[in-house]
Amino acid sequence: QKIIHAGDTNTFLSFAADALSLTTGGTQVLEFIYGNVYIKENNKALIGYNASGGAKELIKIDASDAVQIGEALNVTMTGSLSLGDSITQSKAGNLTHTMTAGGSGEAALRLIANNTTGDPFIRFETNAKTFCMGIDNSDSDKFMLDLGSDPGADNIFNVQPDGSVITFDKIAHFGSTVQVTPNGAKFSVGAAITGSCGTTMEVIQV
């Protein structure tokens, strides 16, 4: 059964057992089925509204069953999740993000600056200090630990892109003994000896 719009035969309400649908302009846009609600447009399940700037899509499920919420969140049937430009989470108290890979799976946090200028890095901030750690794209892609908001701001140490050399740009303090063993060679600092005059000295042992 149908209730047809008097001025447009392509716009109508139709009724069936346990179902109700609305078609406008020949396209089914709304369907109620017992236990379910479907809002359709061009083979998409869609919830939205019309604003002064045009139609706004709030929730959309396309033919591949990918879910999009607004312009910021996309979820696919394979479990992939993509988000918009910026994510902010704020609350009074502790915040914890946990990723757990079961079995032999890997849990990886990947930061990708897929260009020739951007830096992939992590920034750590308190109310008084800021440190960051990551790759400085503008300095030959060195891996850096910095005092500041971005890699290269105030370098503490850096690692060459091939991992061959680590350079400290700040004073490094170690314990009583430091051992450096590249390729099996030993270089020790802090082997204490006592001279003939009874004075204890620190020596370098190769």
Side-chain angles (χ1 to χ4, degrees), residues 11-143:
T11 299
F12 54 85
L13 279 171
S14 61
F15 304 87
D18 297 326
L20 167 68
S21 68
L22 171 64
T23 299
T24 63
T27 301
Q28 188 185 59
V29 295
L30 181 63
E31 184 178 17
F32 294 91
I33 300 176
Y34 180 75
N36 299 281
V37 177
Y38 299 94
I39 301 177
K40 295 184 176 181
E41 179 188 359
N42 297 328
N43 295 321
K44 298 178 296 187
L46 176 68
I47 298 175
Y49 66 96
N50 280 319
S52 57
K56 302 293 183 181
E57 297 179 350
L58 299 180
I59 302 175
K60 178 174 66 178
I61 306 174
D62 64 21
S64 64
D65 293 329
V67 180
Q68 177 179 329
I69 300 176
E71 297 180 354
L73 178 63
N74 292 275
V75 184
T76 68
M77 287 296 289
T78 59
S80 298
L81 173 68
S82 61
L83 301 168
D85 295 338
S86 181
I87 305 167
T88 301
Q89 184 177 2
S90 178
K91 63 167 287 206
N94 297 328
L95 285 173
T96 301
H97 288 188
T98 302
M99 297 188 301
T100 303
S104 58
E106 295 180 344
L109 175 64
R110 297 196 301 167
L111 306 177
I112 302 172
N114 194 23
N115 54 69
T116 58
T117 56
D119 297 331
F121 67 95
I122 302 174
R123 182 181 297 152
F124 306 90
E125 299 183 23
T126 68
N127 62 334
K129 274 302 177 193
T130 300
F131 286 84
C132 70
M133 180 173 61
I135 296 174
D136 189 353
N137 206 332
S138 62
D139 192 0
S140 304
D141 288 337
K142 294 175 183 174
F143 182 82

